[in-house]
PDB file of all heavy atoms in Angstrom:
ATOM      1  N   GLU A  31    -180.180   4.014 105.016  1.00  0.00           N
ATOM      2  CA  GLU A  31    -180.922   5.146 105.561  1.00  0.00           C
ATOM      3  C   GLU A  31    -180.008   6.043 106.389  1.00  0.00           C
ATOM      4  O   GLU A  31    -180.067   7.270 106.314  1.00  0.00           O
ATOM      5  CB  GLU A  31    -182.077   4.657 106.441  1.00  0.00           C
ATOM      6  CG  GLU A  31    -183.146   3.874 105.700  1.00  0.00           C
ATOM      7  CD  GLU A  31    -183.998   4.753 104.786  1.00  0.00           C
ATOM      8  OE1 GLU A  31    -183.975   5.987 104.947  1.00  0.00           O
ATOM      9  OE2 GLU A  31    -184.673   4.190 103.903  1.00  0.00           O
ATOM     10  N   ASN A  35    -178.775  10.002 105.868  1.00  0.00           N
ATOM     11  CA  ASN A  35    -178.912  11.036 106.889  1.00  0.00           C
ATOM     12  C   ASN A  35    -177.584  11.751 107.133  1.00  0.00           C
ATOM     13  O   ASN A  35    -177.535  12.975 107.253  1.00  0.00           O
ATOM     14  CB  ASN A  35    -179.420  10.428 108.202  1.00  0.00           C
ATOM     15  CG  ASN A  35    -180.901  10.068 108.120  1.00  0.00           C
ATOM     16  OD1 ASN A  35    -181.612  10.531 107.244  1.00  0.00           O
ATOM     17  ND2 ASN A  35    -181.348   9.247 109.053  1.00  0.00           N
ATOM     18  N   LYS A  81    -186.739  17.715 107.217  1.00  0.00           N
ATOM     19  CA  LYS A  81    -186.624  17.980 105.789  1.00  0.00           C
ATOM     20  C   LYS A  81    -187.955  18.268 105.127  1.00  0.00           C
ATOM     21  O   LYS A  81    -188.036  18.444 103.936  1.00  0.00           O
ATOM     22  CB  LYS A  81    -185.969  16.774 105.115  1.00  0.00           C
ATOM     23  CG  LYS A  81    -184.569  16.531 105.652  1.00  0.00           C
ATOM     24  CD  LYS A  81    -184.053  15.161 105.343  1.00  0.00           C
ATOM     25  CE  LYS A  81    -182.862  14.847 106.253  1.00  0.00           C
ATOM     26  NZ  LYS A  81    -182.450  13.457 106.160  1.00  0.00           N
ATOM     27  N   GLY A  95    -185.090  11.369 101.199  1.00  0.00           N
ATOM     28  CA  GLY A  95    -185.217  10.608 102.438  1.00  0.00           C
ATOM     29  C   GLY A  95    -186.080  11.429 103.361  1.00  0.00           C
ATOM     30  O   GLY A  95    -185.690  11.771 104.460  1.00  0.00           O
TER      31      GLY A  95
HETATM   32 MG1   MG B   2    -183.371   9.657 106.420  1.00  0.00          MG
END
Side-chain angles (χ1 to χ4, degrees):
E31 296 289 344
N35 286 343
K81 299 163 197 171

